[in-house]
Amino acid sequence: MKRIVLAAILAGLATPALALSCMVPDRRYEGDIEQARSGELPFTLIAGTFDYTRPAFDSEGYYEVQARFQGEIWQTDAWQPHIGPVTVRVSCINGDCGGMNPGSPILAIVRQDAEGTLLVASGPCSDLPTFLDETSREEALSCLHGRCPRNSY
């Protein structure tokens, strides 16, 4: 009986950790697109490279840095060339962090605030940003239009 009670207590202690895990959606990019749709800021896709020096994370597992972006942005049903500043925000949960490799080709969701600042956020549970290739570009664009591909993992 003592073993059963001990096992029940230990199982109860493990539940908070499970609540903080990343849930994998059935469809790739779906969670990121739905989260962007539920926000107040307009959003679209951005594909290209971000040039910045990666700072250290602060004490709360977060950093924000100004990056120079060069690539394309999805506007009015077409990819348009875009070069300019973008704010990059990266966060962590329990030691798992989002992130992007400066200088690597990246596909991401970009939001624009009231002042016109472009913002790319990366958390540990996101499919986006991701490495840019033709497949990721096509799949994210399809998801943007309501046809998210099934996850293979």
Side-chain angles (χ1 to χ4, degrees), residues 48-51 54 70 100-107 130-132:
T49 57
F50 296 82
D51 184 23
R54 188 179 312 183
Q70 183 170 344
M100 304 184 320
N101 292 327
S104 296
I106 299 291
L107 175 68
T130 189
F131 290 105
L132 174 63

Side-chain angles (χ1 to χ4, degrees), residues 21-65:
S21 327
C22 298
M23 299 295 292
V24 177
D26 288 339
R27 299 189 177 276
R28 188 170 310 146
Y29 312 125
E30 185 174 46
D32 299 298
I33 299 288
E34 289 307 312
Q35 183 179 13
R37 280 194 178 112
S38 68
E40 295 178 13
L41 298 177
F43 73 97
T44 190
L45 296 173
I46 195 167
T49 57
F50 296 82
D51 184 23
Y52 66 96
T53 301
R54 188 179 312 183
F57 284 96
D58 66 16
S59 62
E60 296 177 15
Y62 172 88
Y63 74 74
E64 181 173 304
V65 66

